[in-house]
Structure formats: structure tokens, C-alpha cells
Amino acid sequence: MSMGMSITMSRPAEAVATNAVAPPRNVMEEAGLDLLLVERVLKGEKHCFDLLVRKYQTRVMAAVGRFVRDRTECEDLAQEVFIRAYRALASFRGDSSFYTWLFKIAVNAARNFLAASGRRPVLANVETHVADQMDDPARLRDRDTPERELMRDQVEQMVMKTLNDLPAEMRTALTLREVDGLSYEEIAKALDCPIGTVRSRIFRAREAIDGQVRPLLED
Amino acid sequence: MSQSDPMELKEQLSALLDGELARDQTLFLLKRMEHDSELRDLWERMCHSGAALRAEAPCGSGFADRVQAALQAETQPIAQRARRSWFGTAAGGALAAAMAYAVVIVGSQTRPEEEAGVASPMAGEVRTAAGVTGGMSVASPVFNTASARFGDSTLQPLPVTLNLDQYLLRHSEALSGGLQGEMQPFIYPVSHSDAHTYSVR
């Protein structure tokens, strides 16, 4: 975990690996969902692309933030990234994850931007495969305006406070999902509970957080 | 959200966000979200909360709306564009190859004239057309040889403007379907002034 959370536990994935292979479940899985959204966009359902934008906007911002320092320029670039992605969407075949594909577009856009403006990247010699694995999503922090920084801190503190106030089983389920990226099936095995319970716990945790965060985000 | 059990709908949305919803339910929910802005907003807030848990810096409010507004101008169906894209690339490549062949033929036929210093207007046009068509670099041996044979004086000047440059880049990008993450060939417009740069001495 990258942010000093109070939850400590053994890595559940290791426990999962020792369990017997479960029968396949009839769910989309994240990569499948992204691919489905892409397919729907290609069939003319533009709102599905909007869902992809809302889902990946922070990660794209973090990606371009590795190259460009100014926050406003980052947002402009991120917007450009999504527009380019939209135009090139038919070339996405699902060979890699949607975000990996999007990340390459972001890197190209950032490099082109820097080349056009005759500047060097914030991080010298950032290569795609290296940058993809860099774990510094908070790099943009020191470039925020005071107002935005305040808002972001408030949201983050509220999320963390609400999370810590949740019952342990809900807190653990959500953290394993959002931070460790485990599937429901893996979480169910790690916590020794049914998948439906995992789904319910994660939802209730999100619902509790949303109740606190919503007023802040809507301001 | 106008369904009788909004909590169930929200729980489905949460599962959808994690890719943990069955396909039929996914399709149903996606269809519903097309007209349910509250569900879309909830989706975004859940994404924001997840980003906060991962200590990711959020975008400014309204970012997704700005992207959506920018995409309103994108009226061309993407899949249709993609189908044209490979056709355009193939057609462009074939045309470029034909032009290159024509350059070689014309070059071999006009060699005596060239040695006599007689200009061949067609040669310049052919070479220019091949360069503009894309898919083949003017720095290739074929063109260099042809250029050396004709001499720089045989090339007809092509008005080169910034607009033309931008057009060529856009054209190249359109032919290859976006090019993101791939090699991005750059097409030099052929003009009288810089033609000597690519000649073989």
C-alpha cells in the first residue's frame, strides 16, 4: 500500500494461490468491461466513452504529470489524450489492457507537446515501460492551485476518515479491491466468505464514503 | 435514478465498476446510464474515491464534461473511419509504389535528355506526387537515384506552406488510424529548395 493506511494484513494473493481453482464465474472482469465499453462506443454509444473518461481521468493525469509540470497544461494534455484515444479507438484490439493502450497515447502526446514547445520532461529519460510502473501518482500535488489542493486534501481526508470508521470487514474488502486490485473471487477466498458478501461489503463501504464525499465534490 | 430499488441499482454499479457484473446486467446498466446522469455522476464519484484511496491526484471538476463537449464535434463514426483507414493506407501505398515505378521508367527513358540538361517537367510532378501520397519516404534509394539522374534543376517547385505541412501530417495520421503507440512516419513535402538534400552525390 502506497499511502500508509492503518490496515495491515498478509498479502491475500499468496493465500489465494494455494486454493483450488474455482469454476469460472459469469462476470465481465475489468479488462472485459473496458473492451465491452470500447465496443459499445464503436457502435455509436458515446456515453460509454464518457464512462471510460471518468474511470481513467486521474490515471491519465498522473501519466502526463510525469512529463509536464504545470497543472493546467496537464489537464489540457489529458483532454487531448482522450480525444486522440477516441479517434483511434477502432485500433484498440484488446491485446493489452485499455489503460496500457491509453498510457502509450498519453506518453506520445506529452512527448509531442514537449518537443513542440522545446522543453524537456519533468523526469528526464522517462521511458514508457518505466513510467508505467512508477508509483508516484501524487506527483502533481506540488503544482496544484491552493484552492484545488485544499479541496483534494479535504476529499482525501474525508475518504480516509470514513474508511477508518467503517467496520473492519468492509474496510478490508474495499482496500483489497481499490488498493491491491484483487478480484471479488480473490477477496472472497482471502476473507473466507461468499463472493456475494464481498460485493455487498464493497458496495456498502463505497456508499458510506460517497455519502461523506459527495457534498465536497459537488461544491 | 428512477428504479424502484435504487440501492440494488447502485450495488450493481459498484460491481460494474469492478468488472464484476454479468454481461447481460452490464449491458442493461450501460443502457440505463445513457439517460441517467445521476448514475453517471455516482460512477465518477466512486472513481474519485478509489483514486483518493490510492493517493492519486484528482482531475479538476468537470473534466469529463469538457472532454465530452470536445467530442461532440467528432461526428464521424469511428468504426467507419477505421474501415476506410486500412483501405486508404493500402490505396496510398499502391499509388506510391506505382509512382515510384513510374519515376524509374521515366528516368531511364529520359536519361539522354537529362545528360543534355533538358528539364523534364513530368519527373518533378511524379516525384512530388509520390512523396505527397505517403507510405514511402522520398529518401528511399529509388527516389535518390531518380533525383540524381534528373538533377535538381528538373524538379518543379511545389509551393510549400505551413498549411501543407499540417495537412500532410494529418493525412498521414488519418491513413494509419491514429498511430498512437506506433511508429510515426514523417513525410517531407518535396520542393525545389530542399530537393538537393535528398539527392545522392
Side-chain angles (χ1 to χ4, degrees):
Chain A
M1 284 175 227
S2 58
M3 48 185 298
M5 298 178 63
S6 60
I7 300 170
T8 55
M9 58 181 59
S10 61
R11 180 75 179 175
E14 295 171 9
V16 170
T18 61
N19 288 342
V21 177
R25 292 185 301 129
N26 182 28
V27 296
M28 295 290 301
E29 303 211 340
E30 197 159 5
L33 171 64
D34 288 349
L35 192 56
L36 177 69
L37 288 172
V38 169
E39 289 171 1
R40 307 304 290 183
V41 179
L42 292 176
K43 288 179 180 175
E45 296 182 26
K46 267 189 176 179
H47 74 284
C48 289
F49 190 76
D50 183 49
L51 298 181
L52 288 169
V53 173
R54 291 170 195 263
K55 183 176 180 183
Y56 288 112
Q57 55 185 342
T58 54
R59 297 181 72 183
V60 169
M61 278 289 288
V64 298
R66 291 162 182 156
F67 293 83
V68 179
R69 181 169 294 276
D70 182 78
R71 177 79 193 204
T72 305
E73 287 180 342
C74 277
E75 288 211 4
D76 290 345
L77 255 179
Q79 182 171 325
E80 175 68 18
V81 168
F82 282 112
I83 291 171
R84 286 189 187 196
Y86 181 81
R87 290 172 179 163
L89 206 56
S91 67
F92 176 66
R93 303 270 181 259
D95 300 330
S96 61
S97 75
F98 179 75
Y99 177 68
T100 301
W101 183 77
L102 199 59
F103 184 86
K104 288 179 182 173
I105 296 175
V107 169
N108 278 341
R111 283 180 172 158
N112 291 345
F113 174 79
L114 290 175
S117 56
R119 281 186 274 164
R120 298 179 63 81
V122 175
L123 302 178
N125 301 320
V126 177
E127 294 299 331
T128 302
H129 66 283
V130 175
D132 200 13
Q133 297 169 8
M134 288 174 62
D135 186 22
D136 192 6
R139 186 167 295 281
L140 291 173
R141 285 167 183 278
D142 58 346
R143 295 156 231 156
D144 277 353
T145 62
E147 294 80 11
R148 195 193 296 271
E149 192 172 356
L150 178 65
M151 188 273 286
R152 191 206 58 237
D153 285 347
Q154 283 179 336
V155 170
E156 194 172 303
Q157 286 171 14
M158 186 58 76
V159 168
M160 295 309 298
K161 180 182 182 306
T162 311
L163 181 78
N164 287 325
D165 289 344
L166 289 173
E169 66 273 12
M170 288 167 57
R171 184 172 69 236
T172 304
L174 184 63
T175 306
L176 288 176
R177 173 61 215 157
E178 289 285 16
V179 181
D180 294 295
L182 299 192
S183 69
Y184 285 8
E185 188 173 8
E186 291 169 328
I187 296 170
K189 287 178 181 176
L191 302 183
D192 195 23
C193 65
I195 289 174
T197 304
V198 171
R199 170 174 149 159
S200 174
R201 286 177 183 174
I202 289 176
F203 164 64
R204 282 185 286 138
R206 281 180 171 148
E207 179 74 359
I209 291 174
D210 186 60
Q212 300 299 317
V213 166
R214 183 174 183 172
L216 296 175
L217 290 177
E218 287 181 344
D219 278 349
Chain B
M1 249 177 280
S2 55
Q3 186 160 318
S4 56
D5 190 357
M7 292 304 280
E8 172 58 26
L9 210 53
K10 288 181 179 179
E11 184 170 338
Q12 285 186 11
L13 187 71
S14 170
L16 175 69
L17 183 64
D18 297 327
E20 297 279 355
L21 204 58
R23 185 180 174 87
D24 55 342
Q25 289 177 306
T26 298
L27 293 175
F28 168 79
L29 204 52
L30 289 179
K31 202 71 185 169
R32 186 182 181 97
M33 288 173 78
E34 184 174 0
H35 306 290
D36 195 329
S37 60
E38 194 177 338
L39 270 183
R40 288 201 302 272
D41 290 344
L42 179 59
W43 168 280
E44 183 168 18
R45 289 199 305 275
M46 285 180 175
C47 290
H48 268 303
S49 298
L53 284 173
R54 294 186 295 273
E56 293 174 355
C59 290
S61 60
F63 175 84
D65 294 334
R66 288 196 296 277
V67 173
Q68 197 175 21
L71 288 176
Q72 290 302 317
E74 300 282 334
T75 53
Q76 190 176 14
I78 305 171
Q80 187 181 339
R81 175 188 290 187
R83 280 196 296 275
R84 278 214 303 270
S85 175
W86 74 262
F87 176 76
T89 304
L95 189 55
M99 292 298 182
Y101 181 71
V103 166
V104 173
I105 297 300
V106 172
S108 62
Q109 289 175 347
T110 58
R111 186 163 190 166
E113 294 172 357
E114 171 217 340
E115 287 170 354
V118 178
S120 172
M122 183 183 170
E125 288 175 14
V126 167
R127 187 176 187 272
T128 300
V132 170
T133 304
M136 182 173 289
S137 166
V138 293
S140 69
V142 171
F143 286 108
N144 284 337
T145 306
S147 176
R149 283 179 181 171
F150 290 125
D152 293 341
S153 61
T154 65
L155 294 172
Q156 297 301 302
L158 176 70
V160 179
T161 64
L162 278 177
N163 285 341
L164 177 61
D165 254 332
Q166 288 164 359
Y167 162 77
L168 290 173
L169 287 172
R170 283 200 305 272
H171 180 68
S172 166
E173 191 169 344
L175 282 180
S176 50
L179 290 174
Q180 278 77 10
E182 306 294 337
M183 184 180 71
Q184 300 194 22
F186 182 84
I187 305 169
Y188 284 100
V190 178
S191 71
H192 183 74
S193 59
D194 63 354
H196 66 278
T197 307
Y198 307 104
S199 300
V200 174
R201 300 294 181 191

